[in-house]
């Protein structure tokens, strides 16, 4: 007679989690859906990570990005809803808005050109002529993309 078989110890998903191994190779923006998935595993009790640790990791990943409002939300999640937002986050948010304003001002002339029907038609015609007369594939690709962008901006 053989001895009764004992059940092997069960391992939670953390045993097989490769997040820490693959994360250095992922773009920062690809990490956020992965962390959301880990949050769902935590809530379903499939993994034994601390929600606070995952939120803190998300907060650290957000620091070099321009997603300041999201970082502030995560900061409140980690430190409590009534927590005072650090001044460096407030400064970063002001910097992002300043950059956005500068970029908006910088592209205003191009947007005006794209929205002016008469100029847009003339520019499209000129680009068609250049495409037809240009033997270079590189120039063809560049002008085709400009033409596509102008047409898309006009439709929106």
């Amino acid at each position: 007679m053989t001895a009764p078989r004992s059940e092997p110890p069960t391992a939670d998903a953390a045993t097989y989690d490769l997040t820490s191994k693959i994360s250095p190779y992922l773009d920062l923006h690809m990490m956020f859906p992965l962390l959301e998935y880990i949050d769902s595993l935590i809530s379903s009790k499939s993994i034994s990570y601390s929600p606070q640790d995952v939120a803190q990791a998300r907060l650290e990943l957000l620091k070099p990005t321009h997603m300041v409002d999201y970082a502030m939300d995560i900061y409140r999640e980690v430190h409590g809803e009534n927590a005072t937002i650090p001044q460096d986050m407030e400064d970063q948010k002001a910097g992002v808005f300043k950059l956005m304003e500068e970029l908006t001002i910088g592209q205003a002339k191009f947007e005006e050109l794209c929205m002016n029907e008469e100029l847009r038609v003339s520019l499209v015609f000129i680009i068609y002529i250049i495409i037809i007369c240009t033997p270079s594939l590189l120039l063809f690709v560049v002008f085709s993309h400009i033409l596509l962008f102008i047409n898309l901006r006009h439709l929106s």
Side-chain angles (χ1 to χ4, degrees):
M1 180 171 226
T2 60
R5 271 178 102 169
S6 63
E7 291 292 318
T10 58
D12 70 349
T15 307
Y16 304 105
D17 183 26
L18 296 175
T19 306
S20 63
K21 297 211 187 308
I22 66 169
S23 61
Y25 306 103
L26 293 177
D27 181 70
L28 285 180
H29 296 86
M30 297 304 296
M31 285 299 299
F32 298 113
L34 187 56
L35 291 174
E36 293 294 327
Y37 176 69
I38 289 175
D39 276 338
S40 72
L41 290 176
I42 291 170
S43 63
S44 68
K45 307 242 187 281
S46 298
I47 200 165
S48 59
Y49 293 150
S50 161
Q52 290 296 98
D53 289 342
V54 175
Q56 187 64 40
R58 188 179 294 119
L59 187 59
E60 290 300 316
L61 286 172
L62 284 167
K63 282 184 180 177
T65 70
H66 291 302
M67 298 186 287
V68 186
D69 286 331
Y70 185 44
M72 289 178 172
D73 291 344
I74 300 301
Y75 185 87
R76 287 185 190 106
E77 181 181 317
V78 171
H79 299 285
E81 284 298 318
N82 298 325
T84 304
I85 301 298
Q87 187 60 40
D88 62 330
M89 279 187 171
E90 295 289 350
D91 294 342
Q92 185 181 7
K93 183 176 182 176
V96 167
F97 280 118
K98 183 179 179 191
L99 176 63
M100 193 167 74
E101 185 177 316
E102 289 171 4
L103 292 174
T104 301
I105 291 169
Q107 64 87 32
K109 291 289 184 185
F110 186 71
E111 184 175 1
E112 181 182 313
L113 172 72
C114 292
M115 294 301 163
N116 184 326
E117 181 68 26
E118 185 177 321
L119 286 175
R120 192 181 72 80
V121 169
S122 298
L123 186 60
V124 168
F125 178 73
I126 291 169
I127 291 174
Y128 278 139
I129 296 299
I130 291 171
I131 290 171
I132 290 170
C133 298
T134 304
S136 168
L137 180 62
L138 177 62
L139 284 175
F140 172 77
V141 170
V142 168
F143 286 118
S144 296
H145 282 84
I146 291 171
L147 180 64
L148 177 65
F149 177 76
I150 290 171
N151 283 326
L152 289 177
R153 292 290 295 170
H154 179 69
L155 294 176
S156 61

Short mmCIF file of all heavy atoms in Angstrom, two decimals, residues 73-116:
data_model
loop_
_atom_site.label_atom_id
_atom_site.label_comp_id
_atom_site.label_asym_id
_atom_site.label_seq_id
_atom_site.Cartn_x
_atom_site.Cartn_y
_atom_site.Cartn_z
N ASP A 73 -3.87 62.43 -8.27
CA ASP A 73 -4.91 61.49 -7.84
C ASP A 73 -4.30 60.29 -7.12
O ASP A 73 -4.80 59.85 -6.08
CB ASP A 73 -5.74 61.02 -9.03
CG ASP A 73 -6.60 62.11 -9.62
OD1 ASP A 73 -6.82 63.14 -8.94
OD2 ASP A 73 -7.06 61.95 -10.77
N ILE A 74 -3.22 59.76 -7.67
CA ILE A 74 -2.56 58.62 -7.05
C ILE A 74 -1.94 59.03 -5.72
O ILE A 74 -1.98 58.27 -4.74
CB ILE A 74 -1.48 58.03 -7.99
CG1 ILE A 74 -2.10 57.55 -9.30
CG2 ILE A 74 -0.71 56.90 -7.32
CD1 ILE A 74 -3.17 56.50 -9.16
N TYR A 75 -1.39 60.25 -5.65
CA TYR A 75 -0.82 60.74 -4.40
C TYR A 75 -1.88 60.77 -3.31
O TYR A 75 -1.65 60.36 -2.18
CB TYR A 75 -0.21 62.14 -4.60
CG TYR A 75 0.49 62.66 -3.37
CD1 TYR A 75 1.82 62.36 -3.15
CD2 TYR A 75 -0.18 63.44 -2.44
CE1 TYR A 75 2.47 62.82 -2.02
CE2 TYR A 75 0.47 63.90 -1.30
CZ TYR A 75 1.79 63.59 -1.09
OH TYR A 75 2.43 64.04 0.03
N ARG A 76 -3.08 61.25 -3.67
CA ARG A 76 -4.19 61.27 -2.70
C ARG A 76 -4.62 59.86 -2.31
O ARG A 76 -5.01 59.61 -1.17
CB ARG A 76 -5.36 62.05 -3.28
CG ARG A 76 -5.12 63.55 -3.31
CD ARG A 76 -6.35 64.30 -3.77
NE ARG A 76 -6.03 65.69 -4.01
CZ ARG A 76 -5.91 66.24 -5.22
NH1 ARG A 76 -6.11 65.52 -6.30
NH2 ARG A 76 -5.60 67.51 -5.35
N GLU A 77 -4.55 58.94 -3.27
CA GLU A 77 -4.90 57.55 -2.98
C GLU A 77 -3.91 56.95 -1.98
O GLU A 77 -4.30 56.23 -1.07
CB GLU A 77 -4.86 56.74 -4.29
CG GLU A 77 -5.24 55.28 -4.14
CD GLU A 77 -5.15 54.55 -5.47
OE1 GLU A 77 -5.58 55.10 -6.50
OE2 GLU A 77 -4.62 53.41 -5.46
N VAL A 78 -2.63 57.29 -2.11
CA VAL A 78 -1.61 56.75 -1.23
C VAL A 78 -1.62 57.43 0.14
O VAL A 78 -1.52 56.78 1.18
CB VAL A 78 -0.20 56.88 -1.88
CG1 VAL A 78 0.90 56.54 -0.89
CG2 VAL A 78 -0.10 56.00 -3.11
N HIS A 79 -1.76 58.77 0.14
CA HIS A 79 -1.61 59.54 1.38
C HIS A 79 -2.93 60.04 1.98
O HIS A 79 -2.89 60.77 2.96
CB HIS A 79 -0.70 60.74 1.12
CG HIS A 79 0.68 60.35 0.69
ND1 HIS A 79 1.61 59.84 1.55
CD2 HIS A 79 1.28 60.37 -0.53
CE1 HIS A 79 2.72 59.57 0.90
NE2 HIS A 79 2.55 59.87 -0.37
N GLY A 80 -4.05 59.68 1.39
CA GLY A 80 -5.34 60.11 1.91
C GLY A 80 -5.93 61.25 1.08
O GLY A 80 -5.20 62.06 0.52
N GLU A 81 -7.24 61.29 1.02
CA GLU A 81 -7.93 62.28 0.19
C GLU A 81 -7.64 63.72 0.59
O GLU A 81 -7.63 64.62 -0.23
CB GLU A 81 -9.45 62.05 0.23
CG GLU A 81 -9.91 60.89 -0.62
CD GLU A 81 -9.61 61.08 -2.10
OE1 GLU A 81 -9.81 62.19 -2.62
OE2 GLU A 81 -9.17 60.10 -2.72
N ASN A 82 -7.39 63.96 1.86
CA ASN A 82 -7.17 65.32 2.34
C ASN A 82 -5.69 65.69 2.39
O ASN A 82 -5.34 66.74 2.94
CB ASN A 82 -7.79 65.51 3.72
CG ASN A 82 -9.30 65.32 3.66
OD1 ASN A 82 -9.94 65.68 2.68
ND2 ASN A 82 -9.86 64.74 4.70
N ALA A 83 -4.83 64.86 1.83
CA ALA A 83 -3.39 65.11 1.86
C ALA A 83 -3.05 66.34 1.01
O ALA A 83 -3.65 66.58 -0.03
CB ALA A 83 -2.62 63.91 1.34
N THR A 84 -2.10 67.11 1.50
CA THR A 84 -1.64 68.29 0.77
C THR A 84 -0.70 67.83 -0.34
O THR A 84 0.24 67.08 -0.10
CB THR A 84 -0.89 69.25 1.72
OG1 THR A 84 -1.75 69.58 2.80
CG2 THR A 84 -0.45 70.50 0.99
N ILE A 85 -0.99 68.31 -1.54
CA ILE A 85 -0.17 67.95 -2.70
C ILE A 85 1.19 68.64 -2.55
O ILE A 85 1.25 69.84 -2.28
CB ILE A 85 -0.86 68.38 -4.00
CG1 ILE A 85 -2.23 67.71 -4.15
CG2 ILE A 85 0.02 68.10 -5.22
CD1 ILE A 85 -2.19 66.21 -4.24
N PRO A 86 2.30 67.92 -2.77
CA PRO A 86 3.62 68.54 -2.66
C PRO A 86 3.81 69.67 -3.68
O PRO A 86 3.26 69.64 -4.78
CB PRO A 86 4.59 67.39 -2.96
CG PRO A 86 3.81 66.15 -2.79
CD PRO A 86 2.38 66.49 -3.05
N GLN A 87 4.61 70.65 -3.28
CA GLN A 87 4.84 71.82 -4.13
C GLN A 87 5.48 71.45 -5.46
O GLN A 87 5.18 72.05 -6.48
CB GLN A 87 5.71 72.84 -3.39
CG GLN A 87 5.85 74.16 -4.12
CD GLN A 87 4.51 74.87 -4.35
OE1 GLN A 87 3.66 74.87 -3.48
NE2 GLN A 87 4.35 75.44 -5.53
N ASP A 88 6.36 70.43 -5.47
CA ASP A 88 7.00 70.05 -6.73
C ASP A 88 5.98 69.54 -7.75
O ASP A 88 6.12 69.78 -8.95
CB ASP A 88 8.13 69.05 -6.51
CG ASP A 88 7.67 67.73 -5.92
OD1 ASP A 88 6.68 67.73 -5.17
OD2 ASP A 88 8.32 66.70 -6.21
N MET A 89 4.93 68.87 -7.27
CA MET A 89 3.86 68.44 -8.19
C MET A 89 3.09 69.64 -8.72
O MET A 89 2.75 69.69 -9.90
CB MET A 89 2.91 67.47 -7.51
CG MET A 89 3.37 66.06 -7.44
SD MET A 89 2.02 65.03 -6.79
CE MET A 89 2.71 63.43 -7.05
N GLU A 90 2.81 70.59 -7.84
CA GLU A 90 2.11 71.81 -8.27
C GLU A 90 2.95 72.58 -9.29
O GLU A 90 2.44 73.08 -10.29
CB GLU A 90 1.79 72.71 -7.07
CG GLU A 90 0.82 72.11 -6.07
CD GLU A 90 -0.62 72.04 -6.58
OE1 GLU A 90 -0.94 72.62 -7.63
OE2 GLU A 90 -1.43 71.40 -5.90
N ASP A 91 4.26 72.66 -9.04
CA ASP A 91 5.16 73.35 -9.98
C ASP A 91 5.22 72.61 -11.31
O ASP A 91 5.24 73.24 -12.38
CB ASP A 91 6.57 73.45 -9.38
CG ASP A 91 6.62 74.35 -8.16
OD1 ASP A 91 5.68 75.15 -7.96
OD2 ASP A 91 7.61 74.25 -7.40
N GLN A 92 5.25 71.28 -11.25
CA GLN A 92 5.27 70.49 -12.49
C GLN A 92 3.99 70.71 -13.28
O GLN A 92 4.03 70.85 -14.50
CB GLN A 92 5.46 69.01 -12.16
CG GLN A 92 5.61 68.14 -13.40
CD GLN A 92 5.77 66.67 -13.06
OE1 GLN A 92 5.66 66.24 -11.92
NE2 GLN A 92 6.05 65.88 -14.08
N LYS A 93 2.87 70.79 -12.59
CA LYS A 93 1.59 71.02 -13.27
C LYS A 93 1.59 72.39 -13.94
O LYS A 93 1.17 72.53 -15.09
CB LYS A 93 0.43 70.92 -12.27
CG LYS A 93 -0.93 71.08 -12.90
CD LYS A 93 -2.03 70.87 -11.88
CE LYS A 93 -3.39 70.99 -12.52
NZ LYS A 93 -4.46 70.69 -11.57
N ALA A 94 2.09 73.40 -13.24
CA ALA A 94 2.17 74.74 -13.83
C ALA A 94 3.09 74.73 -15.04
O ALA A 94 2.79 75.37 -16.07
CB ALA A 94 2.66 75.74 -12.79
N GLY A 95 4.19 73.99 -14.96
CA GLY A 95 5.11 73.88 -16.10
C GLY A 95 4.47 73.20 -17.30
O GLY A 95 4.70 73.60 -18.44
N VAL A 96 3.67 72.18 -17.04
CA VAL A 96 2.98 71.48 -18.13
C VAL A 96 1.99 72.43 -18.82
O VAL A 96 1.92 72.48 -20.05
CB VAL A 96 2.28 70.21 -17.61
CG1 VAL A 96 1.32 69.65 -18.66
CG2 VAL A 96 3.29 69.17 -17.20
N PHE A 97 1.24 73.20 -18.03
CA PHE A 97 0.29 74.14 -18.62
C PHE A 97 1.01 75.24 -19.40
O PHE A 97 0.54 75.66 -20.46
CB PHE A 97 -0.64 74.74 -17.56
CG PHE A 97 -1.76 73.83 -17.19
CD1 PHE A 97 -1.89 73.36 -15.89
CD2 PHE A 97 -2.70 73.41 -18.13
CE1 PHE A 97 -2.93 72.50 -15.54
CE2 PHE A 97 -3.73 72.56 -17.80
CZ PHE A 97 -3.84 72.11 -16.50
N LYS A 98 2.15 75.69 -18.89
CA LYS A 98 2.93 76.70 -19.60
C LYS A 98 3.44 76.16 -20.93
O LYS A 98 3.35 76.83 -21.96
CB LYS A 98 4.10 77.17 -18.73
CG LYS A 98 4.91 78.27 -19.36
CD LYS A 98 6.04 78.71 -18.46
CE LYS A 98 6.84 79.80 -19.18
NZ LYS A 98 8.08 80.08 -18.50
N LEU A 99 3.96 74.93 -20.91
CA LEU A 99 4.43 74.30 -22.14
C LEU A 99 3.29 74.12 -23.14
O LEU A 99 3.45 74.37 -24.33
CB LEU A 99 5.07 72.95 -21.81
CG LEU A 99 5.54 72.12 -23.01
CD1 LEU A 99 6.65 72.84 -23.77
CD2 LEU A 99 6.00 70.75 -22.55
N MET A 100 2.13 73.69 -22.65
CA MET A 100 0.98 73.51 -23.53
C MET A 100 0.56 74.83 -24.16
O MET A 100 0.24 74.89 -25.35
CB MET A 100 -0.19 72.90 -22.73
CG MET A 100 -1.31 72.39 -23.61
SD MET A 100 -2.47 71.37 -22.70
CE MET A 100 -3.36 72.58 -21.77
N GLU A 101 0.61 75.91 -23.39
CA GLU A 101 0.27 77.23 -23.92
C GLU A 101 1.28 77.66 -24.97
O GLU A 101 0.90 78.17 -26.03
CB GLU A 101 0.23 78.24 -22.78
CG GLU A 101 -0.23 79.61 -23.19
CD GLU A 101 -0.32 80.56 -22.00
OE1 GLU A 101 -0.82 80.15 -20.95
OE2 GLU A 101 0.15 81.70 -22.15
N GLU A 102 2.58 77.44 -24.72
CA GLU A 102 3.61 77.79 -25.68
C GLU A 102 3.45 77.01 -26.98
O GLU A 102 3.59 77.57 -28.07
CB GLU A 102 5.00 77.53 -25.09
CG GLU A 102 5.40 78.47 -24.00
CD GLU A 102 6.68 78.05 -23.29
OE1 GLU A 102 7.32 77.05 -23.72
OE2 GLU A 102 7.05 78.72 -22.32
N LEU A 103 3.15 75.72 -26.87
CA LEU A 103 2.96 74.90 -28.06
C LEU A 103 1.72 75.33 -28.85
O LEU A 103 1.72 75.31 -30.08
CB LEU A 103 2.88 73.42 -27.68
CG LEU A 103 4.17 72.81 -27.14
CD1 LEU A 103 3.92 71.38 -26.65
CD2 LEU A 103 5.27 72.83 -28.18
N THR A 104 0.68 75.71 -28.12
CA THR A 104 -0.54 76.18 -28.79
C THR A 104 -0.27 77.47 -29.55
O THR A 104 -0.70 77.62 -30.70
CB THR A 104 -1.66 76.40 -27.75
OG1 THR A 104 -1.91 75.17 -27.08
CG2 THR A 104 -2.94 76.88 -28.42
N ILE A 105 0.46 78.38 -28.94
CA ILE A 105 0.81 79.64 -29.61
C ILE A 105 1.72 79.36 -30.81
O ILE A 105 1.55 79.94 -31.88
CB ILE A 105 1.48 80.61 -28.61
CG1 ILE A 105 0.47 81.09 -27.59
CG2 ILE A 105 2.11 81.79 -29.34
CD1 ILE A 105 1.07 81.82 -26.41
N GLY A 106 2.67 78.43 -30.63
CA GLY A 106 3.62 78.12 -31.69
C GLY A 106 2.98 77.49 -32.93
O GLY A 106 3.47 77.69 -34.04
N GLN A 107 1.92 76.76 -32.75
CA GLN A 107 1.29 76.11 -33.90
C GLN A 107 0.09 76.88 -34.43
O GLN A 107 -0.56 76.45 -35.36
CB GLN A 107 0.89 74.68 -33.53
CG GLN A 107 -0.16 74.55 -32.45
CD GLN A 107 -1.58 74.59 -32.97
OE1 GLN A 107 -1.85 74.16 -34.08
NE2 GLN A 107 -2.48 75.13 -32.19
N ALA A 108 -0.19 78.06 -33.87
CA ALA A 108 -1.37 78.83 -34.27
C ALA A 108 -1.35 79.21 -35.74
O ALA A 108 -2.37 79.11 -36.44
CB ALA A 108 -1.51 80.08 -33.40
N LYS A 109 -0.20 79.63 -36.25
CA LYS A 109 -0.11 80.02 -37.67
C LYS A 109 -0.35 78.83 -38.58
O LYS A 109 -1.03 78.94 -39.60
CB LYS A 109 1.26 80.64 -37.97
CG LYS A 109 1.49 81.97 -37.34
CD LYS A 109 0.64 83.02 -38.00
CE LYS A 109 0.97 84.38 -37.40
NZ LYS A 109 0.09 85.41 -37.92
N PHE A 110 0.19 77.68 -38.21
CA PHE A 110 -0.02 76.49 -39.03
C PHE A 110 -1.49 76.08 -38.99
O PHE A 110 -2.06 75.70 -40.02
CB PHE A 110 0.87 75.35 -38.53
CG PHE A 110 0.81 74.13 -39.41
CD1 PHE A 110 1.38 74.14 -40.67
CD2 PHE A 110 0.19 72.99 -38.97
CE1 PHE A 110 1.32 73.04 -41.48
CE2 PHE A 110 0.12 71.87 -39.77
CZ PHE A 110 0.69 71.89 -41.04
N GLU A 111 -2.11 76.16 -37.83
CA GLU A 111 -3.54 75.82 -37.72
C GLU A 111 -4.37 76.80 -38.54
O GLU A 111 -5.32 76.39 -39.22
CB GLU A 111 -3.98 75.84 -36.27
CG GLU A 111 -5.42 75.40 -36.09
CD GLU A 111 -5.83 75.30 -34.64
OE1 GLU A 111 -5.02 75.58 -33.74
OE2 GLU A 111 -6.99 74.93 -34.41
N GLU A 112 -4.01 78.07 -38.50
CA GLU A 112 -4.70 79.08 -39.29
C GLU A 112 -4.59 78.75 -40.78
O GLU A 112 -5.56 78.85 -41.53
CB GLU A 112 -4.10 80.45 -38.99
CG GLU A 112 -4.76 81.59 -39.73
CD GLU A 112 -4.07 82.91 -39.40
OE1 GLU A 112 -3.82 83.18 -38.21
OE2 GLU A 112 -3.77 83.66 -40.35
N LEU A 113 -3.39 78.35 -41.20
CA LEU A 113 -3.18 77.97 -42.59
C LEU A 113 -4.05 76.78 -42.97
O LEU A 113 -4.68 76.77 -44.03
CB LEU A 113 -1.70 77.62 -42.80
CG LEU A 113 -1.34 77.04 -44.16
CD1 LEU A 113 -1.42 78.12 -45.23
CD2 LEU A 113 0.04 76.43 -44.12
N CYS A 114 -4.14 75.80 -42.09
CA CYS A 114 -4.94 74.61 -42.37
C CYS A 114 -6.44 74.90 -42.39
O CYS A 114 -7.20 74.24 -43.09
CB CYS A 114 -4.64 73.52 -41.34
SG CYS A 114 -2.98 72.85 -41.47
N MET A 115 -6.88 75.90 -41.64
CA MET A 115 -8.30 76.21 -41.56
C MET A 115 -8.76 77.18 -42.65
O MET A 115 -9.95 77.29 -42.91
CB MET A 115 -8.64 76.79 -40.18
CG MET A 115 -8.47 75.80 -39.07
SD MET A 115 -9.54 74.37 -39.35
CE MET A 115 -8.81 73.19 -38.27
N ASN A 116 -7.83 77.87 -43.27
CA ASN A 116 -8.17 78.81 -44.35
C ASN A 116 -8.39 78.00 -45.62
O ASN A 116 -7.45 77.47 -46.20
CB ASN A 116 -7.05 79.83 -44.52
CG ASN A 116 -7.37 80.88 -45.55
OD1 ASN A 116 -8.04 80.62 -46.54
ND2 ASN A 116 -6.88 82.08 -45.31
#
